[in-house]
Amino acid sequence: MKGQILVTGGTGYIGSHTAVELHNAGYEVILVDNLSNSTIEVVDNVAHLIGKRPHFEQVDCLDYAAMDALFTKYTGIRAVIHFAAFKAVGESVDQPLKYYRNNLISLINLLELMPKHGVKGLVFSSSCTVYGQPDVLPVTEDAPVKHAESPYGNTKQINEEIIYDTVRSGAPIRAILLRYFNPIGAHPSALIGELPNGVPQNLIPYLTQTAIGIRECLNVFGDDYHTPDGSCIRDFINVVDLAKAHVVAIERQLADKQSEPVEVFNVGTGRGLSVLELIQAFERATGVPLNYKIVGRRAGDIEQVWANPDKANKVLGWQAETSIDDTLRSAWNWQLNLRERGIQ
């Protein structure tokens, strides 16, 4: 094994997929999660995929003492991938303080504890929301960070600033900020995927739950945007492709190849797809008709954004590989698997 990697939010959607890819790349994975938006069964499914049970600690990253004890327990941690955060745009508009408390303090705790325990590498789960509505598309890493359209987006902006300020202060930390776009899909095995507790706040789990009959209808928020079909445009990236980007970021960091103490990379496909186009793609890929309706715009949504991923392609040697049809089929197979297991 190449060493231990601590993955916060490790039983979450992206964290669980990244845990599998880290193991496949030869790392020992330590998952930490408070299970506020996931279940312990995720650890079992990750274990099935990698052939061994990963280390798991049910700890809230807001609990400084518990996180301190975790770093003390695992003395071989070489780097941290920080996923643990609330992530729903709409919910953040309704409950901003919940988002600021959770998303900011969890990072601050890590940045204080890492130097204390001799851990230098951080890969941070950032977001394209830091760009707001870009002036130029596709958006590059050099685009200005704009006023956030939601508290969720603002937490990502503030967290990036906290990381920059901490590194500038002389803290022995090197960070890679991955600004990713819209992760969708599931592992090809259909053993892990996106399964939020309660009513989904994100598009694809709500879409697949509608297709299978759990939800009555999918709401499409707005058809009056200045886009070809009037619906919002996003860059939808396969979650396994995204997970692999975290692995190559970790390997760049541990090989001491960073050109700057803080590096930023867009992680996307480079292609924009509207919500209505995504629905059509799902119906085409699965043969399953979807009941949806157009409703008013949702607070916090931006009109359109998609990535220019050239920097990640060239510097990290990473690129998105999975087609939108294969990605949507994987999400549907995950939903079918949940029904077969009696989970939904």
Side-chain angles (χ1 to χ4, degrees):
M1 283 292 177
K2 298 177 182 178
Q4 296 177 339
I5 306 297
L6 177 65
V7 181
T8 72
T11 61
Y13 176 42
I14 306 172
S16 59
H17 287 82
T18 301
V20 172
E21 297 306 320
L22 283 167
H23 173 83
N24 291 344
Y27 293 96
E28 183 180 355
V29 183
I30 303 163
L31 307 180
V32 57
D33 205 298
N34 65 1
L35 302 181
S36 65
N37 198 33
S38 59
T39 66
I40 191 64
E41 285 75 21
V42 174
V43 181
D44 298 331
N45 293 333
V46 168
H48 184 84
L49 285 170
I50 69 176
K52 60 179 290 188
R53 192 167 184 83
H55 301 288
F56 172 70
E57 301 289 340
Q58 186 173 346
V59 173
D60 193 323
C61 290
L62 299 184
D63 187 337
Y64 183 93
M67 289 298 292
D68 191 15
L70 186 150
F71 275 99
T72 300
K73 178 178 179 179
Y74 296 98
T75 58
I77 296 173
R78 300 187 66 193
V80 177
I81 303 180
H82 184 45
F83 292 112
F86 295 140
K87 62 178 184 176
V89 169
E91 183 185 58
S92 78
V93 174
D94 295 332
Q95 302 181 60
L97 295 183
K98 171 182 176 180
Y99 275 67
Y100 286 117
R101 178 180 296 109
N102 185 74
N103 293 7
L104 300 186
I105 296 175
S106 60
L107 175 67
I108 291 169
N109 284 346
L110 279 174
L111 292 174
E112 290 182 344
L113 287 166
M114 287 171 60
K116 178 180 177 181
H117 293 274
V119 180
K120 297 181 179 180
L122 174 68
V123 174
F124 177 65
S125 167
S126 193
S127 167
C128 67
T129 56
V130 303
Y131 298 119
Q133 179 56 64
D135 297 321
V136 178
L137 289 168
V139 64
T140 71
E141 292 85 353
D142 295 326
V145 172
K146 291 192 170 184
H147 175 73
E149 298 291 333
S150 68
Y152 163 72
N154 202 27
T155 66
K156 293 300 184 181
Q157 291 184 8
I158 295 170
N159 275 342
E160 286 196 0
E161 292 170 359
I162 290 171
I163 291 169
Y164 272 110
D165 288 343
T166 301
V167 172
R168 289 191 194 106
S169 75
I173 292 173
R174 298 176 73 82
I176 293 179
L177 316 181
L178 297 183
R179 292 175 178 167
Y180 36 84
F181 285 67
N182 290 72
I184 63 172
H187 194 271
S189 66
L191 283 175
I192 54 175
E194 190 169 11
L195 182 60
N197 292 336
V199 178
Q201 299 287 327
N202 293 331
L203 174 59
I204 290 299
Y206 204 106
L207 184 155
T208 57
Q209 288 184 17
T210 301
I212 209 167
I214 297 171
R215 311 292 166 193
E216 181 179 351
C217 183
L218 173 69
N219 289 334
V220 175
F221 295 105
D223 64 349
D224 58 350
Y225 288 98
H226 297 294
T227 61
D229 62 20
S231 65
C232 291
I233 292 177
R234 297 290 184 268
D235 186 335
F236 296 99
I237 179 171
N238 181 277
V239 67
V240 177
D241 288 345
L242 175 59
K244 291 176 180 177
H246 292 80
V247 177
V248 295
I250 282 288
E251 294 188 328
R252 176 174 176 80
Q253 207 164 59
L254 296 183
D256 200 25
K257 292 183 178 180
Q258 283 188 234
S259 58
E260 301 289 339
V262 181
E263 293 183 332
V264 179
F265 296 94
N266 284 340
V267 185
T269 68
R271 179 192 175 198
L273 203 66
S274 76
V275 174
L276 291 175
E277 287 176 324
L278 188 76
I279 290 171
Q280 294 164 6
F282 175 82
E283 293 179 331
R284 178 183 67 243
T286 65
V288 178
L290 190 69
N291 184 32
Y292 68 93
K293 66 180 179 181
I294 308 295
V295 298
R297 295 186 182 190
R298 180 175 60 179
D301 281 342
I302 64 169
E303 183 172 273
Q304 52 186 323
V305 63
W306 65 92
N308 179 331
D310 287 351
K311 183 180 177 184
N313 296 164
K314 294 173 183 176
V315 177
L316 295 179
W318 169 93
Q319 64 181 4
E321 298 177 338
T322 311
S323 72
I324 190 66
D325 283 15
D326 285 345
T327 297
L328 291 168
R329 273 192 290 268
S330 73
W332 180 235
N333 289 336
W334 162 246
Q335 187 68 64
L336 292 173
N337 181 272
L338 290 174
R339 183 172 66 180
E340 291 174 4
R341 289 156 55 194
I343 296 174
Q344 287 187 345

